Amino acid sequence: MSGKRSIFEEVSGDQKQEAVQPGMIDRGRGGARKAIRAWLMMLFALVVIMIAVGGLTRLTDSGLSITEWRPITGAIPPMSEADWQSEFDKYKEIDQWRIQNQWMELNDFKFIYWWEWGHRQLGRVIGLVWAIGFFGFLAARKIPTGWTGKLLIPGVLGGVQGAVGWWMVASGVTQGEGMTAVASYRLATHLGLAFVILGFLAWYILELGREERDLMQARRAKEAKLFSLSTGLMHFAFLQILIGALVAGIDAGRSYTDWPLIGGQLLPPDALMLEPMWRNFFESPGLVQFIHRCAGYLLLIFGVIVWRRGGTSAHPQTRFAFNAAFAALALQVVIGIVTVVYAAPWQIAIFHQFMAVVVWTLILRARFLTAYPIATSIRGA
């Protein structure tokens, strides 16, 4: 017969109590954050390479060498001399060859063809890497909660970018219209969209670099004023990138090579020589270069204001991020001046374009840290 039971037996017995487990915010939301971040970093690197290859394709005047848009079959290059001759004959039908490149032989054509083919092929590779990663993580149910739509955005924009790329090339594949290059505003659209894709990738990489609970806590310490200023700087830098694409599209960087004057005076000569007048803002080399210069000066001034404001942040890593962004911006201004003075040789021109990627990324990082500051203890500070 069992003894008397204490009325406190259920409380004082040996029953196990569940331990309090940390990280409940991240439970069920984490997914394969590290693996997805690595995948996005790969895409980021590929897009940066794509921007550089696109710049070199433009600098070598190779963009119009492939006169058709074949998203699937275009992945296979000419395999025989007859195929090469067929592609060359198609190129001979457009204005660029008739006006500018009649001196070309088949081997010369092959050089520019391979540049454009490589550019398009890299675009296909990027699309394939995105598709394999996205649908792979989706099938494995490893995408964190709320991230499926986010990760879909780069893929959708990449598809749009392919269509924009052909829209750009089609503007130069003309017969009897006197076009020897793509339309500069279409080139600006193409490059601008590449930077938008790069921006989404960079932001997602930064988000996935920290746990969900860390971001939720950091959001409470958001520096709203500094976030607004850095957002303005981001938009201004993006505008300057678009203007730079207009400069590149008409080789305006080689039109005037003196600095700080332009054509020996404050305003470029014959800045408004085209009719109707609006065309000058896209097609007048002197005016487009002048606008790019002035926008650069204003961007630098605004950059100083944002940098000084960033220096007042209570968070050391945020202050460092603004220091890095401003240093890159100042260096970019110097490189821009050197590019003009030396008439934009391809080595300096492509470095100038690469530095635009660096400036863009560092501004985004500084902006991110104003939205999600990294707290530092008094001892650590």
Side-chain angles (χ1 to χ4, degrees):
M1 184 175 179
S2 61
K4 295 182 179 180
R5 297 176 62 186
S6 169
I7 62 173
F8 301 106
E9 183 175 346
E10 292 185 4
V11 177
S12 59
D14 295 332
Q15 293 183 355
K16 296 181 180 179
Q17 297 182 356
E18 291 186 6
V20 177
Q21 298 182 8
M24 295 300 291
I25 294 177
D26 296 316
R27 186 178 298 277
R29 299 171 62 94
R33 294 177 72 91
K34 290 184 179 179
I36 291 174
R37 187 169 187 259
W39 166 60
L40 292 178
M41 291 174 72
M42 181 186 303
L43 283 172
F44 182 91
L46 286 171
V47 173
V48 172
I49 295 171
M50 184 70 162
I51 290 174
V53 171
L56 288 169
T57 301
R58 176 188 55 78
L59 288 167
T60 55
D61 287 329
S62 304
L64 300 179
S65 57
I66 302 178
T67 60
E68 298 173 326
W69 190 40
R70 296 172 293 173
I72 305 300
T73 59
I76 302 175
M79 304 299 291
S80 65
E81 285 300 306
D83 291 339
W84 276 112
Q85 190 61 52
S86 175
E87 291 297 318
F88 191 25
D89 290 340
K90 293 174 185 176
Y91 178 68
K92 287 181 178 180
E93 295 176 2
I94 70 173
D95 291 333
Q96 187 184 70
W97 182 84
R98 181 176 59 84
I99 297 173
Q100 181 176 304
N101 288 335
Q102 287 196 28
W103 56 271
M104 276 190 174
E105 300 293 339
L106 182 59
N107 285 335
D108 302 308
F109 171 73
K110 286 181 179 181
F111 174 80
I112 63 173
Y113 185 97
W114 281 123
W115 267 114
E116 175 62 10
W117 183 85
H119 183 53
R120 297 190 187 191
Q121 194 71 4
L122 184 55
R124 294 183 176 96
V125 170
I126 293 173
L128 185 62
V129 170
W130 173 83
I132 291 174
F134 178 79
F135 290 108
F137 287 119
L138 187 65
R141 298 184 178 181
K142 293 296 184 179
I143 297 180
T145 303
W147 274 86
T148 302
K150 288 183 176 181
L151 298 180
L152 187 62
I153 290 175
V156 172
L157 291 179
V160 174
Q161 179 71 314
V164 170
W166 172 246
W167 175 65
M168 176 188 68
V169 170
S171 67
V173 181
T174 61
Q175 298 177 8
E177 299 177 24
M179 292 289 293
T180 60
V182 302
S184 60
Y185 64 89
R186 297 193 188 190
L187 175 64
T189 303
H190 192 50
L191 182 63
L193 186 54
F195 272 83
V196 169
I197 295 171
L198 204 64
F200 275 110
L201 292 174
W203 194 267
Y204 295 160
I205 289 168
L206 291 169
E207 282 190 323
L208 291 170
R210 293 162 66 177
E211 296 294 338
E212 187 72 23
R213 63 179 181 273
D214 181 24
L215 293 175
M216 291 180 66
Q217 185 174 357
R219 191 182 297 123
R220 300 170 186 169
K222 177 180 178 179
E223 299 177 279
K225 180 63 176 177
L226 190 52
F227 179 81
S228 297
L229 284 171
S230 58
T231 300
L233 184 64
M234 177 189 70
H235 289 151
F236 201 164
F238 183 71
L239 175 63
Q240 178 67 333
I241 289 168
L242 295 181
I243 299 172
L246 294 178
V247 171
I250 58 175
D251 280 332
R254 295 168 176 164
S255 56
Y256 296 100
T257 59
D258 53 334
W259 185 86
L261 299 177
I262 181 167
Q265 54 194 55
L266 292 176
L267 297 176
D270 300 324
L272 301 174
M273 60 182 178
L274 301 177
E275 295 290 343
M277 191 177 70
W278 64 265
R279 287 182 54 202
N280 293 281
F281 294 92
F282 297 95
E283 300 175 25
S284 172
L287 183 59
V288 173
Q289 188 192 128
F290 178 73
I291 293 173
H292 190 49
R293 289 190 187 193
C294 292
Y297 302 147
L298 294 174
L299 178 60
L300 181 62
I301 293 170
F302 187 51
V304 171
I305 295 171
V306 177
W307 170 57
R308 292 293 299 272
R309 180 65 178 82
T312 66
S313 172
H315 307 283
Q317 293 201 40
T318 302
R319 295 196 298 270
F320 180 81
F322 277 95
N323 287 340
F326 178 72
L329 176 59
L331 178 60
Q332 176 71 326
V333 171
V334 173
I335 296 172
I337 294 171
V338 172
T339 304
V340 166
V341 171
Y342 285 91
W346 72 265
Q347 298 93 333
I348 301 177
I350 203 65
F351 185 52
H352 189 46
Q353 182 168 303
F354 173 76
M355 276 303 301
V357 173
V358 175
V359 171
W360 176 243
T361 305
L362 291 177
I363 290 174
L364 284 171
R365 180 173 178 270
R367 180 175 180 263
F368 179 83
L369 288 174
T370 64
Y372 304 99
I374 297 176
T376 306
S377 65
I378 296 176
R379 178 177 296 179

